[in-house]
Amino acid sequence: MIRTVYIFLLLLGGLCANGQSADSARNHWGANDTLLVDVIEYNGEYMPYRELGMVYISKLPPESLTQYIRQYNRLRNAVYVTYPYARVASVTLNEVADRLQHVKSKSQRKEIIKSRESELRKQFADPLTNLSVYQGKVLMKLINRQTGNNCYEIIKEYRGGFNARFYQTVAFFFGSSLKQDYDFTSDATDRQIENIIREIDGVWYNNPVRPARR
C-alpha cells in the first residue's frame, strides 16, 4: 500500500565525532532532517516509491518533438480524466443491453430503460457536461471500447432515433461526432489511447498493491 511516511535521517558520522547520544541528537534536528517520501508496501516491507518521468527517444527535430509531446500529453490527460467515467458507465450500459437482448415487448423494454435512466444520466450524461469537447470525443471512443457500440447507437436505443440525431447534430457543431469508432489495430490515435489505458490498468485497476487495496 502506497502511503506517505516520515523517514528520519541521522547523520551518524557527525554524531560519533561529537560524542552525542541519540537522545540528545533529536533535540538538534532541523527542518531538513525530516524528509517526506512515498513508499510502497511489498511482502510486509516498506520500500521507497517514485514514478519516473516519461522518456522520449525520437529522430524528430526539437520543435516537432515538443509539439508531439504536447499533443500526446493532452491525449493522455483526456484519457486519465474520462476512462473512469467510461468504465462506470459501461457497466450499466452493458447490463441494460444484456437484459434488452431477450426482451421483445416495447413496453417492457421502456420499463427496463426507465428503471436505469437516472443511473445512466448520473454516470454518463452529467459528466459529459463538465468535459471539454476534446475530452468528450475521447470519452465517446472509450464508451465504444468498453461496450462495443458507439454513442449514437446507445442514445438511439435508450432515448430514441430523434434524440440521437439531435445530439449528433449538436456534436457536429462542436467539431465532434457521437459516432466515434475505436480500432487500435489500424488507427494511430486509438493505438495511443490503448497504450495509455493499459498504463492506467497496470498502475491502478490491475495493481494488487494500489492505494487502499490489501
Side-chain angles (χ1 to χ4, degrees):
M1 181 173 63
I2 303 174
R3 62 179 64 173
T4 305
V5 299
Y6 286 105
I7 295 182
F8 297 98
L9 302 180
L10 292 178
L11 303 179
L12 297 179
L15 294 178
C16 293
N18 296 326
Q20 294 177 326
S21 66
D23 291 336
S24 61
R26 293 193 182 92
N27 298 327
H28 300 284
W29 283 352
N32 295 329
D33 294 329
T34 301
L35 302 180
L36 201 63
V37 301
D38 290 331
V39 299
I40 186 170
E41 183 182 7
Y42 182 74
N43 291 337
E45 296 184 8
Y46 294 112
M47 297 180 291
Y49 170 87
R50 182 179 180 184
E51 292 186 8
L52 300 179
M54 192 74 71
V55 176
Y56 297 91
I57 301 176
S58 173
K59 294 182 179 179
L60 294 174
E63 295 81 5
S64 299
L65 180 59
T66 299
Q67 182 179 2
Y68 172 84
I69 294 174
R70 185 182 300 112
Q71 293 174 347
Y72 177 79
N73 286 339
R74 184 191 185 199
L75 177 63
R76 186 170 182 265
N77 176 74
V79 175
Y80 264 79
V81 170
T82 58
Y83 184 46
Y85 291 142
R87 286 177 60 95
V88 173
S90 66
V91 171
T92 300
L93 293 172
N94 287 331
E95 287 178 354
V96 174
D98 289 340
R99 293 185 63 185
L100 294 177
Q101 187 176 1
H102 305 290
V103 179
K104 302 300 182 182
S105 170
K106 290 185 177 181
S107 60
Q108 290 182 1
R109 292 174 70 89
K110 288 183 179 180
E111 184 178 350
I112 292 173
I113 294 172
K114 187 176 181 180
S115 66
R116 306 299 294 273
E117 185 175 355
S118 59
E119 185 176 354
L120 286 170
R121 185 182 298 111
K122 179 180 179 181
Q123 295 178 341
F124 182 61
D126 292 346
L128 266 178
T129 62
N130 298 320
L131 301 178
S132 67
V133 174
Y134 182 80
Q135 291 173 333
K137 182 178 179 180
V138 172
L139 176 59
M140 293 173 197
K141 279 184 170 290
L142 297 181
I143 291 290
N144 181 286
R145 177 187 186 272
Q146 298 297 115
T147 64
N149 295 300
N150 63 50
C151 290
Y152 180 88
E153 296 300 330
I154 292 174
I155 295 176
K156 182 179 179 180
E157 174 67 27
Y158 295 155
R159 302 295 294 172
F162 175 80
N163 282 330
R165 289 192 295 273
F166 172 77
Y167 288 117
Q168 173 64 28
T169 302
V170 173
F172 173 79
F173 281 107
F174 281 97
S176 186
S177 172
L178 292 176
K179 298 180 179 180
Q180 293 292 325
D181 294 325
Y182 186 82
D183 184 7
F184 70 90
T185 61
S186 59
D187 187 274
T189 300
D190 291 352
R191 190 156 48 248
Q192 288 182 323
I193 293 176
E194 186 67 24
N195 290 333
I196 296 170
I197 290 175
R198 293 178 182 181
E199 171 190 326
I200 298 173
D201 285 343
V203 172
W204 185 252
Y205 293 110
N206 297 331
N207 183 5
V209 292
R210 73 185 188 190
R213 178 171 178 176
R214 294 182 181 272

